[in-house]
Amino acid sequence: LLPDGYDDWVIFERDRLRARFVSAAVRLAQLLTATGSAEDSVGIATRALEVEPWSEPAHCALISAHLELGDRAAARRSLDTCRRVLEDLGGPTESVTLELEHRLTASH
């Protein structure tokens, strides 16, 4: 939305649309993984992270898709990236992330 616009309303609307896109993309990635289309889920989750790299739900969707595909190395890399982002933000880790980490280490 108006990439060269910096009025308050433009910034607010751009942020709102970005958040809606990421939320919808994460939900789509979750549904794709749940219905056996984890490869497509990887692409959608990756796109969500390109738009909002600090989205923990998008990181979780990507990790879940990699685990569903049996790609433990990619899941580990995605989890490591997620952990770095969370450390940079200084926020708490969601229970979903902790569960995925447990799944990854338990299946080792």
Side-chain angles (χ1 to χ4, degrees), residues 71-84:
D71 190 345
R72 293 176 42 73
R76 172 52 65 189
R77 286 190 304 274
S78 296
L79 178 63
D80 291 345
T81 300
C82 179
R83 286 288 192 192
R84 280 193 304 277

Side-chain angles (χ1 to χ4, degrees), residues 7 11 16 20-21 30 39 48 51 53 56 63 78 93-96 98 100 106:
D7 291 335
I11 294 169
R16 186 185 72 78
R20 288 192 67 187
F21 167 77
Q30 292 167 338
E39 286 183 25
V51 171
E56 188 172 0
I63 296 163
S78 296
T93 302
E94 292 183 12
S95 61
V96 174
L98 296 173
L100 288 168

